Amino acid sequence: MLDTSLAVRYANALYSAALEKKCVPAVLDEMESFLTVLSEDAQLKKFFFHPAIAPSEKKGLLDDLVGNRLTPLGRSFLSTLLDAKRINYLALIHETFVKLNNTTHNKVRACISSVLPIDPAVRKKVKERIEHYLQKEVDLDFEIDPGLLGGIKLVVEDKVVDGSVLHNLKKMEQKIAVG
């Protein structure tokens, strides 16, 4: 709970500042890029997340890595996280920042999982139907998940509509177990 409230406070502050400076997309890209680099380089992640390493050393490496490729706001924000020893909250802050941006622009992220690839024409129709139903612009991802056995699973933010064969088999199993 504390993690979430900290992330919300940081994300709100960053989002407000980014709106004011008209650099929301740039800051969003910078956070995503930094998180990608950390996820791809375990040693770098270990260095930035290590509590015994001084923030000044971390900021020095950050300057060496990114140079002047960050917006002043992005650089200042990462520097603040490093000083406060809260860089480990960056992924959660990013997630919250994205939700704030999506809410502002009446957008939502969704993902459809299926066993087989879905035809592009069907993808377009599904996206249109979801947008019509939600009355929002939908950023829709499609994933292949052989574990579903059949059917599809739709995840819209924190809501799940599971029409997979696996889910239906589990429901049936529970009904049989209850009697």
Side-chain angles (χ1 to χ4, degrees):
M1 183 66 184
L2 179 62
D3 294 351
T4 304
S5 68
L6 277 171
V8 168
R9 286 192 355 237
Y10 277 104
N12 281 328
L14 179 62
Y15 192 72
S16 294
L19 276 176
E20 185 179 305
K21 295 185 185 299
K22 296 177 175 45
C23 63
V24 172
V27 170
L28 189 55
D29 287 344
E30 291 169 355
M31 276 196 291
E32 287 172 358
S33 296
F34 190 69
L35 285 167
T36 299
V37 168
L38 290 180
S39 71
E40 291 173 353
D41 189 333
Q43 285 187 317
L44 195 60
K45 183 176 181 177
K46 187 176 178 180
F47 175 82
F48 278 110
F49 284 32
H50 200 289
I53 298 174
S56 59
E57 289 181 57
K58 294 176 184 180
K59 288 194 292 188
L61 180 60
L62 180 65
D63 287 341
D64 291 344
L65 289 174
V66 297
N68 290 325
R69 291 181 295 226
L70 291 179
T71 59
L73 180 60
R75 177 185 290 277
S76 173
F77 181 71
L78 289 175
S79 182
T80 299
L81 288 180
L82 290 170
D83 284 337
K85 297 186 177 186
R86 303 232 193 266
I87 196 71
N88 55 320
Y89 291 98
L90 185 60
L92 200 51
I93 293 167
H94 171 262
E95 183 181 314
T96 306
F97 189 95
V98 168
K99 285 180 183 176
L100 286 168
N101 192 44
N102 285 347
T103 300
T104 301
H105 293 94
N106 199 33
K107 290 171 119 180
V108 68
R109 287 193 59 89
C111 180
I112 290 184
S113 300
S114 63
V115 175
L116 299 172
I118 297 174
D119 180 73
V122 174
R123 286 180 179 212
K124 184 179 177 190
K125 285 183 182 179
V126 167
K127 183 178 190 271
E128 288 170 358
R129 288 224 175 145
I130 294 171
E131 287 178 336
H132 178 74
Y133 178 77
L134 296 174
Q135 294 296 301
K136 294 183 179 195
E137 182 182 335
V138 177
D139 183 9
L140 187 58
D141 295 323
F142 291 87
E143 293 180 348
I144 304 297
D145 182 359
L148 295 177
L149 303 177
I152 64 166
K153 180 167 82 172
L154 170 65
V155 179
V156 179
E157 290 185 337
D158 58 348
K159 295 170 186 67
V160 178
V161 178
D162 196 340
S164 68
V165 172
L166 180 63
H167 177 72
N168 288 327
L169 286 173
K170 285 182 181 180
K171 281 182 11 186
M172 197 180 311
E173 180 183 48
Q174 289 173 347
K175 285 181 182 178
I176 291 170
V178 171

